[in-house]
Amino acid sequence: MSQANGQSDETKDGSKWRRRSDVGFRKGFRDGRTRSIYAQPPSTSFGPKACLKKVPQSQIMQVTDPSSQRLQWKTSPLTVLIIKKIMDVTVLPPFIEMATWLIQEKNLVIYVQANVLEDQDLLDHIGYDVIKGKLKTFKECDELSDKIDFIICLGGDGTLLYASSLFQEGSIPPVMAFNLGSLGFLTPFDFQEFKESIESLLQGQVAVTLRSRLKCLVLDSFESNTNGLHQERKLEATKEKDKKKADPNNMRFKCQVLNEAVIDRGPSPYLSNLDLYLDGRIVTTVQGDGLIISTPTGSTAYAAAAGATMLHPNVPAILVTPICPHTLSFRPIVVPAGVELKVVVPEDARHTAWVALDGKNRQELQKGWCVRITTSVFPVASVCRTDQVTDWFDSLVECMHWNTRQRQKDFKREVSNPIQVLVVSQAAKQSDISRLYVPSSLFPLQQSKTYASGRSPVKH
């Protein structure tokens, strides 16, 4: 953790990085966290004689405390990918200002989407001549993992989702997202401070949130392989290092998503009929409009609208949320991040289903097809403005107005003996005043008060 390393999470002025300096709980983070985000390891002894069986050291997973996850550069970064919100002319001046500064002051090579250089509004902008001819482009099929050192997003949450979609086969460079969009739940940085923010990123030692992704495979056939599942995972773990693992022969499509995979009934008027498997064992049959399989990051998106709980992105989990289920007892659930989920369209279903991955790549699932979903080993390293906990709660309050309401008033009021509260209605104007009696035990005895009617409270 930063406190243990003798470092502070705050900037030189002590306040520049904080979005809501008036938030009460922020004070505890100003000097660095002193406790782990994760809970302490549980005791392995139960009573005087029972304990957990010891496992080989090779089966013990070492987990880094998220609060200690800070970015460090192996060598100085040289290239940056700027993802700009399209079809929004208000983003053009910030884009040109930032690109000019990065080229002239930081000598960085800038990559942009190919359609950016085809934007007529950008070509006609007065400041474009300064960076004209100095921007590089790429194709969406290009392998960018070894070309890009870090990513800057200018826009809303959609720019971060698009950045994630560009890196399907390998690791993703760290992402710094500036809020120039509509909501900005995943974009904590303010553009007015972009120079200070990028300077801090280039120097390293900034906090990052590792946002897990889901690896989704669309298969045109399904086999329940409960017995061979663990052997298959061991084989995948050894081959994952080479990144050359062959895809299944029955795979039709694959994608890594940051938010969610949605399997629904599409244009069909019938209920979705989907079989849900967990680690090769059938869990339930989904009958409703569909199913949302989401990451903790996606828990504040479509899943939240469907009634799921909101999870902090550092919680290792997968959310399973039904969409308008036909049974009221089918509530959203949370499963461990290490499980494998399969959503199957059974042969006896009345109709096919459809799948959408992060709101894109929508395609039809024929009967007998399935979607295989696991947690990806390549998360999105999202740069924090303050730290992993503070940024998330700031977004909840500022973007979603989470639990925002007027504070309940206390009982400090001038009242006296047994109180009679006069509720003035329209009839009161005609001297017909209704009376509501409130026991004196609810209020302390204080001085008497004359009511608007000019009469003191009447004892009954």
Side-chain angles (χ1 to χ4, degrees), residues 186-229:
L186 304 178
T187 55
F189 288 93
D190 294 327
F191 182 79
Q192 289 76 9
E193 302 172 350
F194 80 89
K195 294 182 181 180
E196 295 87 345
S197 303
I198 297 177
E199 285 280 8
S200 178
L201 172 63
L202 295 177
Q203 294 173 5
Q205 294 301 318
V206 293
V208 293
T209 297
L210 299 185
R211 299 183 179 275
S212 62
R213 297 195 296 173
L214 296 178
K215 181 179 179 181
C216 305
L217 278 68
V218 177
L219 310 176
D220 60 13
S221 61
F222 167 72
E223 292 182 2
S224 179
N225 58 343
T226 305
N227 296 330
L229 180 63

Short mmCIF file of all heavy atoms in Angstrom, two decimals, residues 186-229:
data_model
loop_
_atom_site.label_atom_id
_atom_site.label_comp_id
_atom_site.label_asym_id
_atom_site.label_seq_id
_atom_site.Cartn_x
_atom_site.Cartn_y
_atom_site.Cartn_z
N LEU A 186 -17.22 5.92 -15.77
CA LEU A 186 -15.90 5.28 -15.87
C LEU A 186 -14.81 6.28 -16.26
O LEU A 186 -13.67 5.87 -16.49
CB LEU A 186 -15.94 4.14 -16.89
CG LEU A 186 -16.98 3.05 -16.66
CD1 LEU A 186 -16.92 2.02 -17.78
CD2 LEU A 186 -16.77 2.37 -15.31
N THR A 187 -15.15 7.56 -16.35
CA THR A 187 -14.18 8.58 -16.77
C THR A 187 -14.02 9.61 -15.67
O THR A 187 -14.71 10.63 -15.65
CB THR A 187 -14.66 9.25 -18.08
OG1 THR A 187 -15.98 9.77 -17.87
CG2 THR A 187 -14.71 8.24 -19.22
N PRO A 188 -13.10 9.40 -14.73
CA PRO A 188 -13.03 10.26 -13.54
C PRO A 188 -12.28 11.57 -13.72
O PRO A 188 -12.39 12.46 -12.88
CB PRO A 188 -12.30 9.37 -12.53
CG PRO A 188 -11.42 8.50 -13.37
CD PRO A 188 -12.17 8.25 -14.64
N PHE A 189 -11.50 11.74 -14.80
CA PHE A 189 -10.63 12.91 -14.90
C PHE A 189 -11.32 14.08 -15.58
O PHE A 189 -12.12 13.91 -16.50
CB PHE A 189 -9.35 12.54 -15.67
CG PHE A 189 -8.42 11.66 -14.91
CD1 PHE A 189 -8.48 10.28 -15.06
CD2 PHE A 189 -7.48 12.18 -14.04
CE1 PHE A 189 -7.64 9.44 -14.35
CE2 PHE A 189 -6.62 11.36 -13.33
CZ PHE A 189 -6.70 9.98 -13.48
N ASP A 190 -10.98 15.29 -15.12
CA ASP A 190 -11.48 16.53 -15.71
C ASP A 190 -10.47 17.03 -16.73
O ASP A 190 -9.26 17.06 -16.46
CB ASP A 190 -11.69 17.60 -14.63
CG ASP A 190 -12.80 17.21 -13.67
OD1 ASP A 190 -13.75 16.55 -14.13
OD2 ASP A 190 -12.71 17.56 -12.48
N PHE A 191 -10.97 17.46 -17.89
CA PHE A 191 -10.04 17.88 -18.94
C PHE A 191 -9.28 19.14 -18.57
O PHE A 191 -8.16 19.35 -19.04
CB PHE A 191 -10.81 18.09 -20.25
CG PHE A 191 -9.91 18.47 -21.40
CD1 PHE A 191 -9.19 17.50 -22.06
CD2 PHE A 191 -9.78 19.79 -21.79
CE1 PHE A 191 -8.34 17.84 -23.10
CE2 PHE A 191 -8.94 20.14 -22.83
CZ PHE A 191 -8.21 19.16 -23.49
N GLN A 192 -9.84 20.00 -17.75
CA GLN A 192 -9.16 21.24 -17.39
C GLN A 192 -7.81 20.97 -16.74
O GLN A 192 -6.93 21.83 -16.74
CB GLN A 192 -10.03 22.07 -16.44
CG GLN A 192 -11.25 22.70 -17.08
CD GLN A 192 -12.36 21.71 -17.34
OE1 GLN A 192 -12.30 20.55 -16.89
NE2 GLN A 192 -13.39 22.13 -18.05
N GLU A 193 -7.61 19.78 -16.21
CA GLU A 193 -6.35 19.45 -15.54
C GLU A 193 -5.60 18.37 -16.30
O GLU A 193 -4.84 17.59 -15.70
CB GLU A 193 -6.65 18.99 -14.11
CG GLU A 193 -7.41 20.02 -13.27
CD GLU A 193 -7.85 19.45 -11.93
OE1 GLU A 193 -7.73 18.23 -11.74
OE2 GLU A 193 -8.31 20.23 -11.09
N PHE A 194 -5.77 18.31 -17.63
CA PHE A 194 -5.19 17.18 -18.36
C PHE A 194 -3.66 17.20 -18.33
O PHE A 194 -3.03 16.13 -18.32
CB PHE A 194 -5.71 17.18 -19.81
CG PHE A 194 -5.02 18.12 -20.75
CD1 PHE A 194 -3.90 17.73 -21.46
CD2 PHE A 194 -5.50 19.41 -20.95
CE1 PHE A 194 -3.27 18.58 -22.35
CE2 PHE A 194 -4.88 20.27 -21.83
CZ PHE A 194 -3.76 19.86 -22.54
N LYS A 195 -3.03 18.36 -18.30
CA LYS A 195 -1.57 18.40 -18.29
C LYS A 195 -1.02 17.81 -17.00
O LYS A 195 -0.08 16.99 -17.03
CB LYS A 195 -1.08 19.84 -18.48
CG LYS A 195 -1.41 20.42 -19.84
CD LYS A 195 -0.86 21.84 -19.98
CE LYS A 195 -1.20 22.43 -21.35
NZ LYS A 195 -0.68 23.81 -21.51
N GLU A 196 -1.57 18.23 -15.88
CA GLU A 196 -1.10 17.68 -14.60
C GLU A 196 -1.39 16.18 -14.51
O GLU A 196 -0.57 15.41 -13.99
CB GLU A 196 -1.78 18.41 -13.44
CG GLU A 196 -1.41 19.89 -13.33
CD GLU A 196 -2.32 20.76 -14.17
OE1 GLU A 196 -3.02 20.22 -15.06
OE2 GLU A 196 -2.32 22.00 -13.94
N SER A 197 -2.55 15.76 -15.01
CA SER A 197 -2.92 14.35 -14.94
C SER A 197 -1.99 13.49 -15.78
O SER A 197 -1.50 12.44 -15.32
CB SER A 197 -4.37 14.16 -15.41
OG SER A 197 -5.26 14.94 -14.65
N ILE A 198 -1.71 13.91 -17.00
CA ILE A 198 -0.83 13.13 -17.87
C ILE A 198 0.61 13.16 -17.36
O ILE A 198 1.33 12.17 -17.46
CB ILE A 198 -0.92 13.65 -19.32
CG1 ILE A 198 -2.35 13.45 -19.85
CG2 ILE A 198 0.08 12.95 -20.22
CD1 ILE A 198 -2.57 13.99 -21.25
N GLU A 199 1.04 14.28 -16.82
CA GLU A 199 2.39 14.35 -16.23
C GLU A 199 2.54 13.31 -15.13
O GLU A 199 3.55 12.61 -15.05
CB GLU A 199 2.64 15.75 -15.67
CG GLU A 199 2.92 16.82 -16.70
CD GLU A 199 4.34 16.79 -17.22
OE1 GLU A 199 5.07 15.85 -16.88
OE2 GLU A 199 4.71 17.70 -17.98
N SER A 200 1.53 13.21 -14.28
CA SER A 200 1.57 12.22 -13.21
C SER A 200 1.59 10.81 -13.77
O SER A 200 2.30 9.94 -13.25
CB SER A 200 0.36 12.40 -12.28
OG SER A 200 0.35 11.45 -11.25
N LEU A 201 0.83 10.56 -14.84
CA LEU A 201 0.82 9.23 -15.46
C LEU A 201 2.18 8.89 -16.05
O LEU A 201 2.67 7.76 -15.90
CB LEU A 201 -0.26 9.17 -16.54
CG LEU A 201 -0.30 7.92 -17.41
CD1 LEU A 201 -0.60 6.68 -16.58
CD2 LEU A 201 -1.35 8.07 -18.51
N LEU A 202 2.80 9.84 -16.73
CA LEU A 202 4.10 9.59 -17.36
C LEU A 202 5.19 9.32 -16.32
O LEU A 202 6.14 8.59 -16.58
CB LEU A 202 4.49 10.77 -18.24
CG LEU A 202 3.59 11.02 -19.46
CD1 LEU A 202 4.05 12.27 -20.21
CD2 LEU A 202 3.58 9.82 -20.39
N GLN A 203 5.05 9.90 -15.15
CA GLN A 203 6.01 9.67 -14.09
C GLN A 203 5.81 8.34 -13.39
O GLN A 203 6.70 7.84 -12.71
CB GLN A 203 5.93 10.80 -13.07
CG GLN A 203 6.35 12.16 -13.61
CD GLN A 203 6.11 13.28 -12.64
OE1 GLN A 203 5.71 13.05 -11.49
NE2 GLN A 203 6.33 14.52 -13.08
N GLY A 204 4.63 7.73 -13.57
CA GLY A 204 4.34 6.46 -12.94
C GLY A 204 3.88 6.61 -11.51
O GLY A 204 3.65 7.72 -11.01
N GLN A 205 3.69 5.49 -10.85
CA GLN A 205 3.27 5.45 -9.45
C GLN A 205 1.86 5.99 -9.24
O GLN A 205 1.53 6.47 -8.15
CB GLN A 205 4.26 6.21 -8.56
CG GLN A 205 5.63 5.58 -8.47
CD GLN A 205 5.59 4.15 -7.94
OE1 GLN A 205 4.86 3.84 -7.01
NE2 GLN A 205 6.38 3.27 -8.56
N VAL A 206 1.01 5.93 -10.28
CA VAL A 206 -0.40 6.29 -10.09
C VAL A 206 -1.19 5.03 -9.76
O VAL A 206 -0.84 3.92 -10.18
CB VAL A 206 -0.98 6.96 -11.36
CG1 VAL A 206 -0.33 8.30 -11.59
CG2 VAL A 206 -0.80 6.06 -12.58
N ALA A 207 -2.25 5.19 -9.00
CA ALA A 207 -3.09 4.04 -8.64
C ALA A 207 -3.91 3.61 -9.85
O ALA A 207 -4.33 4.44 -10.66
CB ALA A 207 -4.00 4.40 -7.48
N VAL A 208 -4.12 2.31 -9.98
CA VAL A 208 -4.92 1.78 -11.08
C VAL A 208 -5.94 0.79 -10.52
O VAL A 208 -5.70 0.12 -9.53
CB VAL A 208 -4.05 1.08 -12.16
CG1 VAL A 208 -3.17 2.08 -12.88
CG2 VAL A 208 -3.22 -0.04 -11.54
N THR A 209 -7.08 0.75 -11.18
CA THR A 209 -8.11 -0.25 -10.88
C THR A 209 -8.11 -1.28 -11.98
O THR A 209 -8.24 -0.93 -13.17
CB THR A 209 -9.50 0.40 -10.79
OG1 THR A 209 -9.52 1.33 -9.71
CG2 THR A 209 -10.58 -0.65 -10.56
N LEU A 210 -7.92 -2.54 -11.63
CA LEU A 210 -7.93 -3.62 -12.61
C LEU A 210 -9.36 -4.08 -12.82
O LEU A 210 -9.92 -4.80 -11.98
CB LEU A 210 -7.03 -4.78 -12.16
CG LEU A 210 -5.55 -4.44 -11.96
CD1 LEU A 210 -4.76 -5.69 -11.64
CD2 LEU A 210 -4.97 -3.75 -13.20
N ARG A 211 -9.94 -3.66 -13.91
CA ARG A 211 -11.33 -4.00 -14.23
C ARG A 211 -11.35 -5.29 -15.02
O ARG A 211 -10.85 -5.34 -16.16
CB ARG A 211 -11.99 -2.87 -15.02
CG ARG A 211 -12.03 -1.54 -14.26
CD ARG A 211 -12.76 -0.47 -15.05
NE ARG A 211 -12.83 0.78 -14.32
CZ ARG A 211 -13.76 1.08 -13.42
NH1 ARG A 211 -14.72 0.21 -13.17
NH2 ARG A 211 -13.75 2.24 -12.78
N SER A 212 -11.91 -6.33 -14.43
CA SER A 212 -11.92 -7.63 -15.07
C SER A 212 -12.81 -7.62 -16.30
O SER A 212 -13.78 -6.86 -16.39
CB SER A 212 -12.40 -8.71 -14.09
OG SER A 212 -13.74 -8.45 -13.68
N ARG A 213 -12.47 -8.49 -17.26
CA ARG A 213 -13.27 -8.66 -18.48
C ARG A 213 -13.75 -10.11 -18.55
O ARG A 213 -13.24 -11.00 -17.85
CB ARG A 213 -12.45 -8.32 -19.73
CG ARG A 213 -12.02 -6.88 -19.79
CD ARG A 213 -11.55 -6.51 -21.19
NE ARG A 213 -10.38 -7.25 -21.61
CZ ARG A 213 -9.86 -7.20 -22.85
NH1 ARG A 213 -10.43 -6.44 -23.77
NH2 ARG A 213 -8.78 -7.90 -23.15
N LEU A 214 -14.72 -10.34 -19.41
CA LEU A 214 -15.25 -11.68 -19.63
C LEU A 214 -14.83 -12.16 -21.01
O LEU A 214 -14.97 -11.44 -22.00
CB LEU A 214 -16.77 -11.70 -19.52
CG LEU A 214 -17.37 -11.34 -18.16
CD1 LEU A 214 -18.89 -11.35 -18.23
CD2 LEU A 214 -16.87 -12.29 -17.08
N LYS A 215 -14.34 -13.39 -21.06
CA LYS A 215 -13.99 -14.03 -22.33
C LYS A 215 -15.20 -14.84 -22.78
O LYS A 215 -15.60 -15.79 -22.13
CB LYS A 215 -12.77 -14.93 -22.15
CG LYS A 215 -12.31 -15.62 -23.41
CD LYS A 215 -11.09 -16.47 -23.14
CE LYS A 215 -10.62 -17.20 -24.39
NZ LYS A 215 -9.44 -18.06 -24.10
N CYS A 216 -15.78 -14.44 -23.91
CA CYS A 216 -17.02 -15.06 -24.39
C CYS A 216 -16.76 -15.78 -25.71
O CYS A 216 -16.21 -15.18 -26.64
CB CYS A 216 -18.10 -14.00 -24.57
SG CYS A 216 -18.43 -13.00 -23.11
N LEU A 217 -17.17 -17.04 -25.77
CA LEU A 217 -17.07 -17.84 -26.98
C LEU A 217 -18.46 -18.30 -27.39
O LEU A 217 -19.20 -18.86 -26.56
CB LEU A 217 -16.17 -19.06 -26.78
CG LEU A 217 -14.65 -18.87 -26.89
CD1 LEU A 217 -14.12 -18.02 -25.75
CD2 LEU A 217 -13.94 -20.21 -26.89
N VAL A 218 -18.83 -18.05 -28.63
CA VAL A 218 -20.10 -18.53 -29.17
C VAL A 218 -19.82 -19.84 -29.91
O VAL A 218 -19.06 -19.87 -30.88
CB VAL A 218 -20.73 -17.50 -30.12
CG1 VAL A 218 -22.02 -18.05 -30.72
CG2 VAL A 218 -21.00 -16.19 -29.37
N LEU A 219 -20.43 -20.94 -29.43
CA LEU A 219 -20.20 -22.28 -29.99
C LEU A 219 -21.48 -22.79 -30.63
O LEU A 219 -22.58 -22.55 -30.12
CB LEU A 219 -19.74 -23.24 -28.89
CG LEU A 219 -18.58 -22.76 -28.00
CD1 LEU A 219 -18.30 -23.78 -26.91
CD2 LEU A 219 -17.33 -22.50 -28.82
N ASP A 220 -21.33 -23.52 -31.74
CA ASP A 220 -22.51 -24.02 -32.45
C ASP A 220 -22.93 -25.42 -31.98
O ASP A 220 -23.77 -26.05 -32.60
CB ASP A 220 -22.28 -24.02 -33.95
CG ASP A 220 -21.11 -24.89 -34.37
OD1 ASP A 220 -20.62 -25.69 -33.54
OD2 ASP A 220 -20.68 -24.79 -35.54
N SER A 221 -22.34 -25.89 -30.90
CA SER A 221 -22.76 -27.16 -30.29
C SER A 221 -22.38 -27.12 -28.83
O SER A 221 -21.57 -26.29 -28.40
CB SER A 221 -22.10 -28.35 -30.99
OG SER A 221 -20.68 -28.27 -30.88
N PHE A 222 -22.97 -28.03 -28.06
CA PHE A 222 -22.76 -28.02 -26.62
C PHE A 222 -22.60 -29.43 -26.10
O PHE A 222 -23.33 -30.35 -26.49
CB PHE A 222 -23.95 -27.36 -25.90
CG PHE A 222 -23.95 -27.59 -24.41
CD1 PHE A 222 -23.03 -26.96 -23.60
CD2 PHE A 222 -24.86 -28.47 -23.84
CE1 PHE A 222 -23.02 -27.19 -22.23
CE2 PHE A 222 -24.86 -28.70 -22.48
CZ PHE A 222 -23.94 -28.06 -21.67
N GLU A 223 -21.58 -29.61 -25.25
CA GLU A 223 -21.37 -30.88 -24.56
C GLU A 223 -21.05 -30.58 -23.11
O GLU A 223 -20.21 -29.75 -22.81
CB GLU A 223 -20.20 -31.66 -25.19
CG GLU A 223 -20.48 -32.17 -26.60
CD GLU A 223 -19.31 -32.97 -27.14
OE1 GLU A 223 -18.34 -33.15 -26.39
OE2 GLU A 223 -19.38 -33.41 -28.30
N SER A 224 -21.75 -31.25 -22.22
CA SER A 224 -21.49 -31.10 -20.79
C SER A 224 -20.32 -31.97 -20.40
O SER A 224 -20.38 -33.20 -20.47
CB SER A 224 -22.74 -31.48 -19.97
OG SER A 224 -22.47 -31.34 -18.59
N ASN A 225 -19.21 -31.33 -20.00
CA ASN A 225 -17.99 -32.07 -19.69
C ASN A 225 -17.56 -31.80 -18.25
O ASN A 225 -16.50 -31.26 -17.98
CB ASN A 225 -16.86 -31.69 -20.64
CG ASN A 225 -16.55 -30.20 -20.62
OD1 ASN A 225 -17.36 -29.42 -20.14
ND2 ASN A 225 -15.39 -29.82 -21.10
N THR A 226 -18.41 -32.18 -17.31
CA THR A 226 -18.12 -31.92 -15.90
C THR A 226 -16.82 -32.58 -15.47
O THR A 226 -16.00 -31.98 -14.77
CB THR A 226 -19.27 -32.45 -15.02
OG1 THR A 226 -20.49 -31.86 -15.46
CG2 THR A 226 -19.03 -32.11 -13.57
N ASN A 227 -16.59 -33.82 -15.87
CA ASN A 227 -15.42 -34.55 -15.39
C ASN A 227 -14.12 -33.98 -15.95
O ASN A 227 -13.10 -33.98 -15.28
CB ASN A 227 -15.54 -36.04 -15.77
CG ASN A 227 -16.72 -36.70 -15.08
OD1 ASN A 227 -17.08 -36.31 -13.96
ND2 ASN A 227 -17.33 -37.68 -15.73
N GLY A 228 -14.17 -33.53 -17.19
CA GLY A 228 -12.94 -33.07 -17.81
C GLY A 228 -12.71 -31.58 -17.69
O GLY A 228 -11.78 -31.06 -18.31
N LEU A 229 -13.53 -30.88 -16.90
CA LEU A 229 -13.43 -29.44 -16.83
C LEU A 229 -12.12 -28.99 -16.20
O LEU A 229 -11.43 -28.11 -16.72
CB LEU A 229 -14.61 -28.87 -16.06
CG LEU A 229 -14.65 -27.35 -15.91
CD1 LEU A 229 -14.77 -26.70 -17.29
CD2 LEU A 229 -15.79 -26.91 -15.02
#
